[in-house]
Amino acid sequence: MSREGATVRDIASIAGVSAASVSRALRDPESVSDRTRQLVRVALDQIEEARVSSRPNGVSTIGCLFIDATSGPRFSGFDATIWSGLARVAIRHGAEILLMNIDRRRPHESIRDMIVRRNIQALAIRCDEGARDFLEEVAHAGVPTIAVAYKHDHPRIGYVCVRSRETSRDAVNHLIHLGHRRIGFCRNIVLDQDHADREHGYLDALGQQDIEIDRSLMITTPADADGGVTAINRLLALPNPPTAVYFADPIPTIGALRRLHEVGRRVPDDFSVVGFDDDNARRLGNPVYTSVCQDAPAMAEMTAQLLCRMMLGAQMNAPPRIELDSYLEVNSTTGRVPV
């Protein structure tokens, strides 16, 4: 009645009985009730199914599959935070992490074949709207799968993401309440779901306050420090420049603050800045910037915890669909509109 690689605690957790009952059922099946024997047998079958494609040494592997234009092989910023969070939890659970690039498949190799070849038992995927067609192929791979930072409607794949539209609206309303009416907005040149939510939040706030939308105040740049510099240069060069701006990414926010200092604009006396933060970037410089904040490490760790449970055979009525909250933190870079 035993299964290789399963511990008594694993079986007890899945079966919903005590570890002592599992020990008795394994050692002397006749010493426990028929119901307990059946529960333990079902739990063992679930564990065996979850480990069907496990490595010969019994170590489970979570594949981190990136199939979008924003995470790529750079592994910096947000994605570095996601990958490290996944790894921390996987290591605590005795699992391994394998980074997988969808573009590195063998000729004519399906995602399913790639997963089998690499002995993957679960998948954390980074994708965006451009990779939507891949979700069905990933689902056919037949392993527990969760999309990180991408809310979707596929019935067989879970997701863990962060809501940022409402908090982005709150951030722009914060500027409006300080008297600002000319408010810029800067986002990543790649319009994924996260950045679309932040842009919608910006537009929501202006619409609620009957402030006319000026598309010249909406800038798209690469999500790096030079992108922030470019955005400030373009906004300040306008005939009627803004008095404040909301940046939808952390690193451009830092680049923008540096550029404002270089051109002699005092923050927040002359110009107000709201940024975005995935972890702790807002506190790395001076001044600490006002920010819409999401907890990317928590998002990654929750994803890994769910995948580890699913690999152990935990039964769920449906794939996990979890939306975490973002929040607005007011710091030193927003002030009243200059007179």
mmCIF file of all heavy atoms in Angstrom, residues 130-158:
data_model
loop_
_atom_site.group_PDB
_atom_site.id
_atom_site.type_symbol
_atom_site.label_atom_id
_atom_site.label_comp_id
_atom_site.label_asym_id
_atom_site.label_seq_id
_atom_site.Cartn_x
_atom_site.Cartn_y
_atom_site.Cartn_z
ATOM 1 N N GLY A 130 -0.089 38.798 -25.894
ATOM 2 C CA GLY A 130 0.503 38.305 -27.126
ATOM 3 C C GLY A 130 0.764 36.805 -27.110
ATOM 4 O O GLY A 130 0.957 36.187 -28.156
ATOM 5 N N ALA A 131 0.797 36.227 -25.915
ATOM 6 C CA ALA A 131 1.070 34.790 -25.785
ATOM 7 C C ALA A 131 -0.187 34.002 -25.458
ATOM 8 O O ALA A 131 -0.120 32.850 -25.047
ATOM 9 C CB ALA A 131 2.118 34.567 -24.705
ATOM 10 N N ARG A 132 -1.340 34.590 -25.656
ATOM 11 C CA ARG A 132 -2.597 33.959 -25.258
ATOM 12 C C ARG A 132 -2.803 32.598 -25.916
ATOM 13 O O ARG A 132 -3.325 31.670 -25.302
ATOM 14 C CB ARG A 132 -3.756 34.902 -25.590
ATOM 15 C CG ARG A 132 -5.057 34.547 -24.907
ATOM 16 C CD ARG A 132 -6.117 35.595 -25.222
ATOM 17 N NE ARG A 132 -7.334 35.334 -24.498
ATOM 18 C CZ ARG A 132 -7.588 35.744 -23.267
ATOM 19 N NH1 ARG A 132 -6.646 36.422 -22.625
ATOM 20 N NH2 ARG A 132 -8.720 35.485 -22.671
ATOM 21 N N ASP A 133 -2.379 32.463 -27.168
ATOM 22 C CA ASP A 133 -2.569 31.197 -27.874
ATOM 23 C C ASP A 133 -1.787 30.058 -27.239
ATOM 24 O O ASP A 133 -2.128 28.883 -27.415
ATOM 25 C CB ASP A 133 -2.153 31.343 -29.343
ATOM 26 C CG ASP A 133 -3.106 32.235 -30.125
ATOM 27 O OD1 ASP A 133 -4.224 32.475 -29.628
ATOM 28 O OD2 ASP A 133 -2.730 32.697 -31.214
ATOM 29 N N PHE A 134 -0.732 30.398 -26.486
ATOM 30 C CA PHE A 134 0.070 29.362 -25.859
ATOM 31 C C PHE A 134 -0.639 28.706 -24.683
ATOM 32 O O PHE A 134 -0.295 27.588 -24.280
ATOM 33 C CB PHE A 134 1.407 29.930 -25.371
ATOM 34 C CG PHE A 134 2.415 30.130 -26.474
ATOM 35 C CD1 PHE A 134 2.707 31.398 -26.936
ATOM 36 C CD2 PHE A 134 3.058 29.034 -27.036
ATOM 37 C CE1 PHE A 134 3.633 31.584 -27.942
ATOM 38 C CE2 PHE A 134 3.990 29.219 -28.047
ATOM 39 C CZ PHE A 134 4.281 30.491 -28.506
ATOM 40 N N LEU A 135 -1.619 29.397 -24.093
ATOM 41 C CA LEU A 135 -2.260 28.860 -22.891
ATOM 42 C C LEU A 135 -2.899 27.500 -23.143
ATOM 43 O O LEU A 135 -2.816 26.596 -22.311
ATOM 44 C CB LEU A 135 -3.299 29.845 -22.353
ATOM 45 C CG LEU A 135 -2.753 31.137 -21.729
ATOM 46 C CD1 LEU A 135 -3.906 32.004 -21.230
ATOM 47 C CD2 LEU A 135 -1.790 30.837 -20.596
ATOM 48 N N GLU A 136 -3.548 27.343 -24.283
ATOM 49 C CA GLU A 136 -4.190 26.062 -24.584
ATOM 50 C C GLU A 136 -3.147 24.960 -24.730
ATOM 51 O O GLU A 136 -3.342 23.839 -24.243
ATOM 52 C CB GLU A 136 -5.023 26.178 -25.865
ATOM 53 C CG GLU A 136 -5.856 24.942 -26.166
ATOM 54 C CD GLU A 136 -6.864 24.635 -25.065
ATOM 55 O OE1 GLU A 136 -7.383 25.585 -24.435
ATOM 56 O OE2 GLU A 136 -7.123 23.437 -24.830
ATOM 57 N N GLU A 137 -2.033 25.273 -25.386
ATOM 58 C CA GLU A 137 -0.982 24.265 -25.538
ATOM 59 C C GLU A 137 -0.366 23.922 -24.184
ATOM 60 O O GLU A 137 -0.080 22.755 -23.898
ATOM 61 C CB GLU A 137 0.099 24.773 -26.496
ATOM 62 C CG GLU A 137 1.101 23.696 -26.868
ATOM 63 C CD GLU A 137 2.138 24.162 -27.876
ATOM 64 O OE1 GLU A 137 2.029 25.305 -28.372
ATOM 65 O OE2 GLU A 137 3.066 23.378 -28.147
ATOM 66 N N VAL A 138 -0.184 24.936 -23.336
ATOM 67 C CA VAL A 138 0.343 24.677 -21.995
ATOM 68 C C VAL A 138 -0.628 23.803 -21.207
ATOM 69 O O VAL A 138 -0.228 22.873 -20.504
ATOM 70 C CB VAL A 138 0.603 26.001 -21.251
ATOM 71 C CG1 VAL A 138 0.908 25.753 -19.776
ATOM 72 C CG2 VAL A 138 1.766 26.750 -21.896
ATOM 73 N N ALA A 139 -1.917 24.080 -21.335
ATOM 74 C CA ALA A 139 -2.922 23.294 -20.605
ATOM 75 C C ALA A 139 -2.870 21.825 -20.998
ATOM 76 O O ALA A 139 -3.063 20.936 -20.169
ATOM 77 C CB ALA A 139 -4.311 23.867 -20.848
ATOM 78 N N HIS A 140 -2.596 21.543 -22.273
ATOM 79 C CA HIS A 140 -2.542 20.162 -22.743
ATOM 80 C C HIS A 140 -1.328 19.420 -22.198
ATOM 81 O O HIS A 140 -1.260 18.190 -22.307
ATOM 82 C CB HIS A 140 -2.522 20.122 -24.270
ATOM 83 C CG HIS A 140 -3.876 20.289 -24.890
ATOM 84 N ND1 HIS A 140 -4.926 19.437 -24.624
ATOM 85 C CD2 HIS A 140 -4.359 21.229 -25.746
ATOM 86 C CE1 HIS A 140 -5.996 19.829 -25.298
ATOM 87 N NE2 HIS A 140 -5.683 20.914 -25.974
ATOM 88 N N ALA A 141 -0.375 20.147 -21.617
ATOM 89 C CA ALA A 141 0.808 19.481 -21.062
ATOM 90 C C ALA A 141 0.437 18.615 -19.859
ATOM 91 O O ALA A 141 1.163 17.691 -19.499
ATOM 92 C CB ALA A 141 1.860 20.508 -20.671
ATOM 93 N N GLY A 142 -0.675 18.948 -19.201
ATOM 94 C CA GLY A 142 -1.178 18.091 -18.138
ATOM 95 C C GLY A 142 -0.476 18.196 -16.813
ATOM 96 O O GLY A 142 -0.542 17.271 -16.005
ATOM 97 N N VAL A 143 0.219 19.298 -16.547
ATOM 98 C CA VAL A 143 0.852 19.491 -15.240
ATOM 99 C C VAL A 143 0.231 20.723 -14.580
ATOM 100 O O VAL A 143 -0.286 21.616 -15.261
ATOM 101 C CB VAL A 143 2.383 19.679 -15.361
ATOM 102 C CG1 VAL A 143 3.023 18.453 -15.968
ATOM 103 C CG2 VAL A 143 2.726 20.930 -16.168
ATOM 104 N N PRO A 144 0.247 20.805 -13.236
ATOM 105 C CA PRO A 144 -0.279 21.992 -12.565
ATOM 106 C C PRO A 144 0.409 23.255 -13.088
ATOM 107 O O PRO A 144 1.637 23.305 -13.163
ATOM 108 C CB PRO A 144 0.068 21.748 -11.093
ATOM 109 C CG PRO A 144 0.195 20.264 -10.967
ATOM 110 C CD PRO A 144 0.752 19.799 -12.269
ATOM 111 N N THR A 145 -0.381 24.252 -13.455
ATOM 112 C CA THR A 145 0.166 25.457 -14.081
ATOM 113 C C THR A 145 -0.502 26.697 -13.510
ATOM 114 O O THR A 145 -1.730 26.752 -13.376
ATOM 115 C CB THR A 145 -0.033 25.433 -15.609
ATOM 116 O OG1 THR A 145 0.579 24.260 -16.145
ATOM 117 C CG2 THR A 145 0.580 26.660 -16.258
ATOM 118 N N ILE A 146 0.316 27.707 -13.186
ATOM 119 C CA ILE A 146 -0.187 28.992 -12.708
ATOM 120 C C ILE A 146 0.525 30.103 -13.475
ATOM 121 O O ILE A 146 1.754 30.099 -13.579
ATOM 122 C CB ILE A 146 0.033 29.156 -11.196
ATOM 123 C CG1 ILE A 146 -0.794 28.127 -10.420
ATOM 124 C CG2 ILE A 146 -0.328 30.578 -10.750
ATOM 125 C CD1 ILE A 146 -0.591 28.185 -8.917
ATOM 126 N N ALA A 147 -0.259 31.031 -14.000
ATOM 127 C CA ALA A 147 0.298 32.218 -14.645
ATOM 128 C C ALA A 147 0.571 33.279 -13.579
ATOM 129 O O ALA A 147 -0.289 33.546 -12.744
ATOM 130 C CB ALA A 147 -0.665 32.749 -15.695
ATOM 131 N N VAL A 148 1.750 33.859 -13.621
ATOM 132 C CA VAL A 148 2.139 34.881 -12.662
ATOM 133 C C VAL A 148 1.903 36.256 -13.277
ATOM 134 O O VAL A 148 2.376 36.538 -14.386
ATOM 135 C CB VAL A 148 3.625 34.742 -12.264
ATOM 136 C CG1 VAL A 148 3.971 35.709 -11.139
ATOM 137 C CG2 VAL A 148 3.939 33.315 -11.843
ATOM 138 N N ALA A 149 1.149 37.098 -12.562
ATOM 139 C CA ALA A 149 0.907 38.489 -12.985
ATOM 140 C C ALA A 149 0.145 38.566 -14.307
ATOM 141 O O ALA A 149 0.338 39.501 -15.082
ATOM 142 C CB ALA A 149 2.226 39.266 -13.085
ATOM 143 N N TYR A 150 -0.717 37.602 -14.562
ATOM 144 C CA TYR A 150 -1.526 37.641 -15.776
ATOM 145 C C TYR A 150 -2.886 37.022 -15.495
ATOM 146 O O TYR A 150 -3.034 35.803 -15.376
ATOM 147 C CB TYR A 150 -0.828 36.898 -16.914
ATOM 148 C CG TYR A 150 -1.653 36.826 -18.184
ATOM 149 C CD1 TYR A 150 -2.226 37.972 -18.740
ATOM 150 C CD2 TYR A 150 -1.874 35.615 -18.832
ATOM 151 C CE1 TYR A 150 -2.983 37.912 -19.894
ATOM 152 C CE2 TYR A 150 -2.636 35.536 -19.990
ATOM 153 C CZ TYR A 150 -3.186 36.689 -20.519
ATOM 154 O OH TYR A 150 -3.946 36.641 -21.663
ATOM 155 N N LYS A 151 -3.898 37.864 -15.406
ATOM 156 C CA LYS A 151 -5.268 37.412 -15.201
ATOM 157 C C LYS A 151 -5.850 36.997 -16.543
ATOM 158 O O LYS A 151 -5.811 37.753 -17.518
ATOM 159 C CB LYS A 151 -6.103 38.531 -14.576
ATOM 160 C CG LYS A 151 -7.539 38.141 -14.282
ATOM 161 C CD LYS A 151 -8.285 39.312 -13.653
ATOM 162 C CE LYS A 151 -9.742 38.949 -13.391
ATOM 163 N NZ LYS A 151 -10.485 40.079 -12.765
ATOM 164 N N HIS A 152 -6.376 35.787 -16.610
ATOM 165 C CA HIS A 152 -6.899 35.258 -17.864
ATOM 166 C C HIS A 152 -8.165 34.454 -17.560
ATOM 167 O O HIS A 152 -8.592 34.338 -16.408
ATOM 168 C CB HIS A 152 -5.846 34.375 -18.536
ATOM 169 C CG HIS A 152 -5.437 33.217 -17.679
ATOM 170 N ND1 HIS A 152 -6.151 32.047 -17.606
ATOM 171 C CD2 HIS A 152 -4.404 33.062 -16.806
ATOM 172 C CE1 HIS A 152 -5.587 31.223 -16.756
ATOM 173 N NE2 HIS A 152 -4.515 31.807 -16.250
ATOM 174 N N ASP A 153 -8.764 33.873 -18.597
ATOM 175 C CA ASP A 153 -10.014 33.138 -18.401
ATOM 176 C C ASP A 153 -9.908 31.678 -18.826
ATOM 177 O O ASP A 153 -10.928 31.015 -19.030
ATOM 178 C CB ASP A 153 -11.156 33.821 -19.152
ATOM 179 C CG ASP A 153 -10.870 33.992 -20.640
ATOM 180 O OD1 ASP A 153 -9.840 33.453 -21.118
ATOM 181 O OD2 ASP A 153 -11.665 34.658 -21.328
ATOM 182 N N HIS A 154 -8.687 31.139 -18.961
ATOM 183 C CA HIS A 154 -8.566 29.735 -19.349
ATOM 184 C C HIS A 154 -9.022 28.848 -18.197
ATOM 185 O O HIS A 154 -8.569 29.014 -17.062
ATOM 186 C CB HIS A 154 -7.122 29.393 -19.736
ATOM 187 C CG HIS A 154 -7.027 28.096 -20.474
ATOM 188 N ND1 HIS A 154 -7.133 26.862 -19.848
ATOM 189 C CD2 HIS A 154 -6.869 27.838 -21.805
ATOM 190 C CE1 HIS A 154 -7.038 25.912 -20.751
ATOM 191 N NE2 HIS A 154 -6.869 26.461 -21.944
ATOM 192 N N PRO A 155 -9.910 27.886 -18.461
ATOM 193 C CA PRO A 155 -10.504 27.108 -17.362
ATOM 194 C C PRO A 155 -9.562 26.132 -16.670
ATOM 195 O O PRO A 155 -9.864 25.654 -15.583
ATOM 196 C CB PRO A 155 -11.650 26.348 -18.048
ATOM 197 C CG PRO A 155 -11.228 26.245 -19.483
ATOM 198 C CD PRO A 155 -10.477 27.510 -19.775
ATOM 199 N N ARG A 156 -8.414 25.818 -17.282
ATOM 200 C CA ARG A 156 -7.538 24.792 -16.693
ATOM 201 C C ARG A 156 -6.205 25.330 -16.178
ATOM 202 O O ARG A 156 -5.356 24.551 -15.750
ATOM 203 C CB ARG A 156 -7.281 23.687 -17.726
ATOM 204 C CG ARG A 156 -8.504 22.816 -17.968
ATOM 205 C CD ARG A 156 -8.138 21.606 -18.801
ATOM 206 N NE ARG A 156 -7.880 21.978 -20.189
ATOM 207 C CZ ARG A 156 -7.263 21.199 -21.065
ATOM 208 N NH1 ARG A 156 -6.798 20.027 -20.689
ATOM 209 N NH2 ARG A 156 -7.093 21.604 -22.314
ATOM 210 N N ILE A 157 -6.035 26.634 -16.221
ATOM 211 C CA ILE A 157 -4.784 27.246 -15.755
ATOM 212 C C ILE A 157 -5.109 28.310 -14.720
ATOM 213 O O ILE A 157 -5.994 29.154 -14.939
ATOM 214 C CB ILE A 157 -3.996 27.865 -16.928
ATOM 215 C CG1 ILE A 157 -3.576 26.765 -17.904
ATOM 216 C CG2 ILE A 157 -2.770 28.617 -16.426
ATOM 217 C CD1 ILE A 157 -2.863 27.279 -19.127
ATOM 218 N N GLY A 158 -4.426 28.283 -13.595
ATOM 219 C CA GLY A 158 -4.659 29.266 -12.547
ATOM 220 C C GLY A 158 -3.869 30.547 -12.780
ATOM 221 O O GLY A 158 -3.104 30.671 -13.739
#
